[in-house]
């Protein structure tokens, strides 16, 4: 059965059900049974594979109670990202590669209905007055929505899938992102409460790395996570508070920013703060909250520092650049830079120590640098992180934590 015919049958069954069944009185299980029975009756006498029968039932049910076409995409664990550019253009990332799906939404109205359902579940709003929204699905997947007239090609949705199994350092070692030796060094830094920034471009795996690193936080500490849309998966910590921002409503009231949350979190006796925007995380780090973990968009370690300067300037115009650089140098201890390389693999490119401020510059001390080896080709990257000859300078926190080994 061709796709157009399948969609026609789905539309006919859905129309029959919405016109003839008391949907508000049916439970999810009852509706599923009714959809199956009506579909079997509709398809009797036609040759159709079991897979297509199941697909039709799923599409009809999810178009009434779920997220329609999105349900089958979201349930596929091999898909890591979904990009919807209007009702006709759906792209997915699978195994690091982008594909266009040969499926589409019935109409723009149907896509808009699904968007409102997704946004409503998280208590958010998106409309012409507020056409941009960051939210999440019930499973934790991150969702960004942009509506017309801002999005010229129609409602645009980007979904970053939420992994069902939290990332661990062991998995990062298995994937070749870091080595066992480096993992042990990072564990020392986290336990000794170094303030760590994880930088990288889009899709480089910053949140994934932060999730893995958070497994090293001692289980008896109080941890507060602060995010635009909650996606951190911190496991095994009982004293955990997760905070999430809120957009303004249609009348412009009720906005809760990352800055508001950080101010509040400082009164909640945190031992560590994770997530957050750069400027506000710097302020938290400078108020004595060591052991903070944060992420930031940047193309290199130096670029991360430049962006931090820019963010501080935007939030505190009139502050002298010298004061800003001193604040950054005293707040950030370690920058871990990640990158997505030409073969789509994600690698840790650099682990650098921020050692202070001198003659108008922030001084960096690279400890590990990624170097390609002779097995690298244009299609495949091969290499590893190598320890530089630079000794680690800021060992005070390691000494305080009673760590004797060299970094």
């Amino acid at each position: 059965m061709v796709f157009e015919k399948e969609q026609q049958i789905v539309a006919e069954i859905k129309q029959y059900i919405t016109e003839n069944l008391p949907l508000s009185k049916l439970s999810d299980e009852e509706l599923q049974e009714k959809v199956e029975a009506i579909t079997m009756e509709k398809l009797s006498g036609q040759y159709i594979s079991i897979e297509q029968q199941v697909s039709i039932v799923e599409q009809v049910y999810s178009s009434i109670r779920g997220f329609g076409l999105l349900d089958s995409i979201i349930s596929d664990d091999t898909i890591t990202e979904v990009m919807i550019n209007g009702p006709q253009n759906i792209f997915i990332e699978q195994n690091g590669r982008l594909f266009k799906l040969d499926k589409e939404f019935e109409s723009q109205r149907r896509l808009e209905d699904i968007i409102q359902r997704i946004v409503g579940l998280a208590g958010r709003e998106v409309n012409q007055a507020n056409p941009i929204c960051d939210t999440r699905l019930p499973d934790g997947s991150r969702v960004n929505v942009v509506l017309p007239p801002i999005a010229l090609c129609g409602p645009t949705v980007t979904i970053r899938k939420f992994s069902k199994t939290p990332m661990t350092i062991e998995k990062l070692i298995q994937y070749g992102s870091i080595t066992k030796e480096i993992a042990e060094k990072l564990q020392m830094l986290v336990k000794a409460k170094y303030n760590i920034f994880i930088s990288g471009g889009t899709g480089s795996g910053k949140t994934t790395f932060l999730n893995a690193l958070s497994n090293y936080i001692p289980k008896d500490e109080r941890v507060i996570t602060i995010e635009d849309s909650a996606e951190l998966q911190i496991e095994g910590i009982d004293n955990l508070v997760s905070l999430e921002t809120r957009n303004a409503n249609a009348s412009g009231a009720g906005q809760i920013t990352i800055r508001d949350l950080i101010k509040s979190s400082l009164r909640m006796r945190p031992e560590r703060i994770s997530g957050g925007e750069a400027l506000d995380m710097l302020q938290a780090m400078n108020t004595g909250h060591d052991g903070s973990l944060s992420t930031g968009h940047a193309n290199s370690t130096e670029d991360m520092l430049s962006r931090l300067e820019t963010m501080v300037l935007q939030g505190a115009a009139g502050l002298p650049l010298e004061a800003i650089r001193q604040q950054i140098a005293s707040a950030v201890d370690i920058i871990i830079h990640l990158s997505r390389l030409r073969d789509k693999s994600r690698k840790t490119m650099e682990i650098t120590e921020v050692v202070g401020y001198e003659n108008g510059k922030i001084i960096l001390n690279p400890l590990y640098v990624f170097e390609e080896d002779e097995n690298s080709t244009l299609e495949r990257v091969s290499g590893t992180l190598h320890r530089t000859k630079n000794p680690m300078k800021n060992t005070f926190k390691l000494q305080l934590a009673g760590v004797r080994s060299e970094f």
Side-chain angles (χ1 to χ4, degrees), residues 21-23 25-36 61 65:
L21 295 182
L23 293 177
K25 295 178 184 175
L26 293 176
S27 68
D28 289 351
E29 292 77 14
E30 288 169 337
L31 177 60
Q32 180 84 23
E33 287 171 9
K34 296 278 189 188
V35 171
E36 285 174 7
Y61 175 81
R65 286 277 163 90

Side-chain angles (χ1 to χ4, degrees), residues 175-188:
Y175 297 151
S177 183
I178 55 173
T179 64
K180 191 170 189 301
E181 175 217 351
I182 294 166
E184 287 167 1
K185 303 290 188 190
L186 292 177
Q187 182 174 16
M188 282 164 35

Side-chain angles (χ1 to χ4, degrees), residues 357-395:
Y357 175 79
E358 270 178 36
N359 303 323
K361 284 189 172 182
I362 295 169
I363 311 300
L364 296 175
N365 180 34
L367 300 172
Y368 285 90
V369 176
F370 181 83
E371 292 173 11
E372 292 191 37
D373 58 33
E374 67 278 2
N375 297 319
S376 267
T377 64
L378 284 172
E379 290 77 34
R380 184 176 169 274
V381 176
S382 175
T384 188
L385 276 171
H386 287 286
R387 182 71 175 88
T388 65
K389 292 188 171 72
N390 308 331
M392 185 173 181
K393 295 183 180 176
N394 290 336
T395 57

Side-chain angles (χ1 to χ4, degrees), residues 18-76:
T18 51
E19 288 174 358
N20 294 284
L21 295 182
L23 293 177
S24 59
K25 295 178 184 175
L26 293 176
S27 68
D28 289 351
E29 292 77 14
E30 288 169 337
L31 177 60
Q32 180 84 23
E33 287 171 9
K34 296 278 189 188
V35 171
E36 285 174 7
I38 292 166
T39 302
M40 291 309 110
E41 191 180 324
K42 173 88 177 168
L43 297 174
S44 62
Q46 298 185 53
Y47 173 74
I48 183 167
S49 69
I50 292 173
E51 287 79 9
Q52 272 196 308
Q53 288 179 28
V54 170
S55 171
I56 289 169
V57 169
E58 282 178 352
Q59 287 181 67
V60 172
Y61 175 81
S62 66
S63 69
I64 298 168
R65 286 277 163 90
F67 301 135
L69 179 59
L70 273 182
D71 276 344
S72 59
I73 299 171
I74 291 164
S75 62
D76 186 341

Side-chain angles (χ1 to χ4, degrees), residues 166-167 211 214-215 217 219 232-238 240:
M167 181 53 67
N211 274 327
S214 69
N215 288 303
I217 296 172
K219 307 302 178 199
L232 288 175
Q233 293 170 279
I234 295 182
E235 295 281 305
I237 290 177
D238 294 330
L240 174 69

Side-chain angles (χ1 to χ4, degrees), residues 112-184:
E112 286 169 351
D113 288 346
I114 290 167
I115 288 169
Q116 292 302 334
R117 194 174 296 176
I118 290 170
V119 168
L121 281 172
R124 304 248 169 159
E125 280 185 45
V126 65
N127 45 45
Q128 281 203 324
N130 292 301
I132 300 173
C133 179
D134 285 307
T135 183
R136 66 182 190 279
L137 292 173
D139 71 351
S141 296
R142 188 169 71 191
V143 182
N144 172 265
V145 174
V146 184
L147 294 184
I150 304 298
L152 302 181
C153 57
T156 302
V157 184
T158 310
I159 302 171
R160 175 76 59 86
K161 292 275 295 292
F162 187 78
S163 172
K164 292 182 172 59
T165 53
M167 181 53 67
T168 62
I169 290 288
E170 287 71 28
K171 284 187 189 170
L172 289 181
I173 295 168
Q174 189 183 322
Y175 297 151
S177 183
I178 55 173
T179 64
K180 191 170 189 301
E181 175 217 351
I182 294 166
E184 287 167 1

Side-chain angles (χ1 to χ4, degrees), residues 75-95:
S75 62
D76 186 341
D77 290 339
T78 65
I79 296 172
T80 50
E81 196 147 356
V82 186
M83 287 144 272
I84 300 163
N85 309 335
Q88 273 93 41
N89 294 304
I90 305 170
F91 296 83
I92 59 165
E93 183 187 63
Q94 205 166 25
N95 305 318

